[in-house]
Amino acid sequence: MILTVTLNTALDVTYRVPRLLPHASHRVTAVTERPGGKGLNVARVLGALGHKVTVTGFAGGPVGSVVRRQLATCPDVVDALLPCEGPSRRTLAVVDEASGDTTQFNEPGPLITPAEWSRFLAHYEELVAGVRAVALCGSLPPGVPVGAYAVLVRAARAAGVPVLLDTSGEALRRAVAARPEIIKPNAAELAELTGSRDPLPASRDARRRGAHAVVTSLGPAGLLAATAEGTWQAAPPRPLSGNPTGAGDSVVAGLLSGLAEGLDWPDRLTRAVALSAATVLSPVAGEFDLRTYEELRQTVRVTSGD
C-alpha cells in the first residue's frame, strides 16, 4: 500500500469556452468535475498503474462531500480523508478552445483548527505505519503550521517509510531539513529554495540541505535527478504539444511507484517521464492512456551526468 497526503484537497472544476475574453459574458460548452489536489491526482495515476493507494488529508463541507463521493468510484483508492469544519476548496480551470490556453483560479481552502491538526497527526501516524511509501503533496490550507511537512516527514522516517515531497516555498524549505527521500520541485521552486537558477548546482545544494535525492521538472526538457547514486537527465524523444495539466503529478506517481517497487533510478525516471508525456498528450486534462504510456516508455532517453 502507498499513502498520499493532500492536506488541501479540492474539487477540480473545468469549464470549456469557445474563446476567453476579459470583461465579456461566456457560454460554457462543457463542464467536468473530479477530486483534486496533488495527492489525489497522484493516487489516481497510481491506481491506474495497479497500485493500491490510501489517500488522506482534510475534506469538509458540501464540496468535501462531493470529493469523497467521487473518490469512491476510483479503483484501488482507499478514502482515509478526515472531516473538517471548514469547507474544502474548489479550483476552477477555464479552457479557451480557440487557443488551448487554460486560466486557473484556486480557492485558499478551509481554515484548519489546532484540534483538527492534532487529530490529523494521530491519524497520519497510524496510517504511515502500514505503508511502503508516502507522498506529501501540494499547498497547506490556512491554519496548518508552515512546518507541517517537516513534522510529517519525520514521523514517516521514524516508521521506516520513505517520503516523496512535492511542495514549494517555506513549506519546502522547512521540510527539506527533515531529510525526505525525494523532493520534486520544478526549476523555479528549486531556484527559490537555493537561490541558484542553474538546476544542477541547485540540486546539489538542496541535497546538502537534507534531501536524499532531488528530481527537478524541466518542463519539455524532462527531468534532472541528483542522487547519492549519481546524476541523470531523462527526456521524451521529441518536444510534445498538448495540455501539461497534471503532468507533474504523473511524475510524482512514476517516481513514487518506482520507489515502492525498488526500481533503479534510470527505470524510475523512464517511468516518470513516460507518464508525464502521456498525460500531456491526453485529450482529457490530467489523465493518460496506458497504451500511449507503454509506447513512450520505449523511447525515453536517460543519460548519466557522472
Side-chain angles (χ1 to χ4, degrees):
M1 181 72 75
I2 293 174
L3 177 66
T4 71
V5 176
T6 312
L7 296 176
N8 209 3
T9 56
L11 181 67
D12 289 344
V13 182
T14 302
Y15 288 171
R16 301 186 71 88
V17 299
R19 185 181 295 275
L20 182 61
L21 300 171
H23 315 298
S25 177
H26 296 80
R27 185 177 298 279
V28 176
T29 59
V31 181
T32 59
E33 293 183 345
R34 67 175 189 175
K38 284 180 173 293
L40 298 191
N41 297 338
V42 170
R44 274 199 305 274
V45 177
L46 289 169
L49 293 174
H51 284 273
K52 293 191 179 300
V53 191
T54 296
V55 297
T56 193
F58 293 103
V63 171
S65 296
V66 173
V67 168
R68 301 189 78 167
R69 283 200 301 271
Q70 294 192 5
L71 270 178
T73 68
C74 297
D76 295 318
V77 175
V78 176
D79 175 1
L81 296 170
L82 279 187
C84 60
E85 186 66 25
S88 293
R89 65 187 178 129
R90 293 162 296 181
T91 67
L92 177 62
V94 182
V95 179
D96 183 327
E97 295 176 330
S99 66
D101 292 338
T102 300
T103 301
Q104 191 88 11
F105 300 88
N106 297 326
E107 296 177 357
L111 176 63
I112 303 302
T113 67
E116 288 170 338
W117 176 239
S118 294
R119 284 198 298 272
F120 177 80
L121 288 177
H123 179 63
Y124 172 80
E125 289 178 359
E126 290 179 2
L127 290 172
V128 81
V131 300
R132 298 171 64 187
V134 178
L136 307 175
C137 302
S139 63
L140 301 177
V144 170
V146 70
Y149 282 139
V151 173
L152 299 183
V153 170
R154 285 194 290 268
R157 286 177 54 80
V161 178
V163 178
L164 189 157
L165 176 67
D166 183 16
T167 190
S168 60
E170 187 62 22
L172 172 61
R173 187 183 309 279
R174 296 201 185 192
V176 164
R179 300 185 61 78
E181 190 73 19
I182 304 171
I183 64 171
K184 192 216 69 68
N186 60 34
E189 292 164 347
L190 183 63
E192 182 184 8
L193 173 67
T194 64
S196 172
R197 295 194 173 277
D198 187 331
L200 185 54
S203 296
R204 290 170 174 157
D205 184 0
R207 291 195 64 234
R208 286 192 293 270
R209 292 168 185 255
H212 288 269
V214 180
V215 180
T216 306
S217 295
L218 302 177
L223 302 174
L224 174 68
T227 80
E229 291 81 14
T231 302
W232 292 271
Q233 186 160 353
R238 62 187 184 284
L240 302 173
S241 60
N243 188 343
T245 301
D249 300 329
S250 292
V251 168
V252 172
L255 295 173
L256 192 64
S257 61
L259 175 64
E261 294 171 26
L263 300 183
D264 62 22
W265 273 105
D267 285 343
R268 293 186 206 179
L269 296 169
T270 296
R271 177 179 292 181
V273 169
L275 281 170
S276 176
T279 302
V280 169
L281 294 175
S282 173
V284 179
E287 304 292 341
F288 75 98
D289 177 72
L290 276 170
R291 180 176 297 178
T292 302
Y293 157 65
E294 292 293 351
E295 292 171 352
L296 286 165
R297 281 184 64 186
Q298 310 305 314
T299 63
V300 173
R301 295 175 286 108
V302 180
T303 56
S304 172
D306 294 346

